[in-house]
Amino acid sequence: MKVLLTGGAGYIGSHTCVELLNQGYEVVIADDFSNSKPEVINRIKEITGKDVDVYPIDVADKNAMKKLFSEQSIGSVIHFAGYKAVGESCQKPLMYYRNNIDATLTLLEVMEEFGVNKFVFSSSATVYGENNPIPYVETMPITGCTNPYGWTKLMIEQILKDACAANKELSVVLLRYFNPIGAHPSGRIGEDPSGIPNNLLPYVAKVAVGKLPKLGVFGNDYPTVDGTGVRDYIHVVDLAKGHAAALAYAENHTGAEAINLGSGKGHSVLEIVNTFSRVNNVPVPYEIKPRREGDLPEFYANAEKAKELLDWTAELTLEDMCRDLWNWQSNNPDGY
Ligand code: WQD
């Protein structure tokens, strides 16, 4: 039986694909390449020496998905496909709700038709909203988000919980990512956002490699260690291993389980900038700018449940994340 990765050519999907292939899984990718490049597939084969069946399709296209499931013996699914830019979701909420929720409903309907009951979902710490205390724990109430992107994650979590209540065979793991950064140590796959990066580390890397003049630090007057925003950064390879562990867990359980994938530690923007610059011996010029709308001062994970249920902890350090990110960016200054 094979594992289907929707959005498997994306940043986290491609790193998870490499990890699963290295662990002996057979993988199928469904990706419309709207936010990824076909070159990623060549790099995955280069790193692992293994082939992956790729379907260049929209997950919301039911006929295309039924064709995939009829041609491939799919045993489980990891669902990455979805739009994920917070700011863009505020400008284009209907596009986000249509794409993210429609694709998930179509996928779940096709899975049901083909009797596939193992599902790992790419959720986000953003579902904790702005009223929960830190560190975030999975049992906390998730009552609302600050942007449509986050709302799609929260709504899909609810859809999956209801689907599990109706189908006792269904096994769902809701992986709540904190801030994934870094790249595979080979430097052959990494984060390749189109246009100007929204997120901190891709922006830092573009400044360091000379593609952008300087970093804007969004606020230094937060109630944090040095006034800049604090987040829980996790190496994308650790995150990929977390997905493999979640898949194994889903094989032996039923019902819906939300699990944080974070390091349990917070780092500020300036700590990140200084670590990246020191580890890679490269300047990262920056200027302090006003706070970004919707940003929270600080959040990070309570990571105990992942250790308890998945026997998984984030092992790679902030230095590893910065070093691997620079290895990717300096060898691929224009991405793929
Ligand atoms: C991190 C810190 C910024 C850019 C978001 C989504 C989350 C996930 C990851 C999709 C904050 C500061 C940033 C910059 C800056 N997205 N910053 N200058 O906002 O924690 O999380 O991205 O899966 O769901 O919510 O990540 O990297 O944008 O910001 O100072 O140019 O860096 O203020 O403190 P965030 P981020």
Side-chain angles (χ1 to χ4, degrees):
M1 303 290 268
K2 299 183 180 179
V3 185
L4 170 62
L5 306 187
T6 71
Y11 172 45
I12 298 163
S14 56
H15 285 81
T16 302
C17 184
V18 165
E19 187 57 35
L20 292 176
L21 291 171
N22 287 341
Q23 292 193 19
Y25 286 95
E26 285 187 277
V27 175
V28 176
I29 285 177
D31 198 307
D32 65 3
F33 295 106
S34 61
N35 194 24
S36 55
K37 305 265 177 48
E39 171 60 18
V40 174
I41 307 302
N42 299 330
R43 306 288 181 94
I44 289 171
K45 292 181 185 177
E46 180 190 314
I47 295 169
T48 63
K50 297 185 178 176
D51 279 324
V52 187
D53 287 335
V54 180
Y55 287 71
I57 59 175
D58 179 350
V59 176
D61 179 343
K62 196 163 202 173
N63 289 332
M65 289 300 287
K66 288 170 77 167
K67 181 173 182 293
L68 185 158
F69 275 75
S70 62
E71 292 173 355
Q72 301 286 345
S73 57
I74 302 296
S76 53
V77 179
I78 305 183
H79 182 34
F80 296 103
Y83 297 151
K84 62 159 203 153
V86 170
E88 185 186 49
S89 78
C90 298
Q91 269 74 52
K92 302 176 180 173
L94 299 184
M95 183 180 91
Y96 269 68
Y97 286 116
R98 169 61 69 192
N99 182 72
N100 290 4
I101 294 175
D102 216 0
T104 304
L105 290 172
T106 298
L107 174 59
L108 291 170
E109 287 169 346
V110 174
M111 284 174 63
E112 191 174 51
E113 189 175 325
F114 285 83
V116 179
N117 289 311
K118 309 297 178 190
F119 191 84
V120 176
F121 176 58
S122 165
S123 190
S124 169
T126 204
V127 302
Y128 287 105
E130 50 189 15
N131 300 315
N132 277 306
I134 49 176
Y136 291 156
V137 181
E138 291 87 347
T139 49
M140 287 178 174
I142 52 172
T143 54
C145 293
T146 56
N147 58 79
Y149 156 76
W151 273 110
T152 67
K153 294 297 186 183
L154 200 158
M155 290 173 179
I156 292 168
E157 284 204 8
Q158 188 57 51
I159 290 166
L160 290 165
K161 288 169 187 169
D162 292 342
C164 286
N167 172 4
K168 298 305 181 193
E169 297 297 306
L170 196 52
S171 174
V172 169
V173 180
L174 308 165
L175 292 180
R176 292 174 180 168
Y177 305 164
F178 282 71
N179 288 60
I181 63 170
H184 189 268
S186 67
R188 300 297 289 155
I189 56 174
E191 191 167 10
D192 182 21
S194 49
I196 305 289
N198 297 305
N199 298 135
L200 178 63
L201 268 298
Y203 204 107
V204 165
K206 288 285 188 185
V207 170
V209 81
K211 294 292 180 183
L212 289 168
K214 71 169 69 171
L215 169 73
V217 174
F218 298 150
N220 67 344
D221 57 352
Y222 286 107
T224 62
V225 61
D226 60 15
T228 64
V230 172
R231 295 291 185 274
D232 181 333
Y233 296 96
I234 169 176
H235 197 297
V236 66
V237 171
D238 272 332
L239 192 74
K241 290 181 172 152
H243 284 75
L247 201 55
Y249 178 85
E251 295 292 334
N252 301 302
H253 293 81
T254 57
E257 219 42 270
I259 301 178
N260 290 337
L261 289 189
S263 72
K265 292 190 290 292
H267 291 286
S268 76
V269 175
L270 289 183
E271 281 177 276
I272 293 286
V273 171
N274 295 332
T275 303
F276 185 93
S277 189
R278 171 175 54 80
V279 161
N280 298 308
N281 193 24
V282 64
V284 179
Y286 67 86
E287 62 178 340
I288 303 297
K289 288 194 163 177
R291 294 181 177 189
R292 180 174 64 179
E293 184 69 27
D295 271 352
L296 297 176
E298 181 168 7
F299 61 84
Y300 49 89
N302 174 309
E304 288 168 17
K305 187 173 180 182
K307 174 62 183 167
E308 185 192 323
L309 289 195
L310 306 181
D311 191 25
W312 176 91
T313 52
E315 293 171 351
L316 295 166
T317 65
L318 190 61
E319 286 75 8
D320 294 325
M321 299 176 213
C322 292
R323 190 176 301 112
D324 290 336
L325 171 57
W326 181 237
N327 184 32
W328 152 254
Q329 194 72 79
S330 57
N331 287 294
N332 303 269
D334 295 312
Y336 292 107

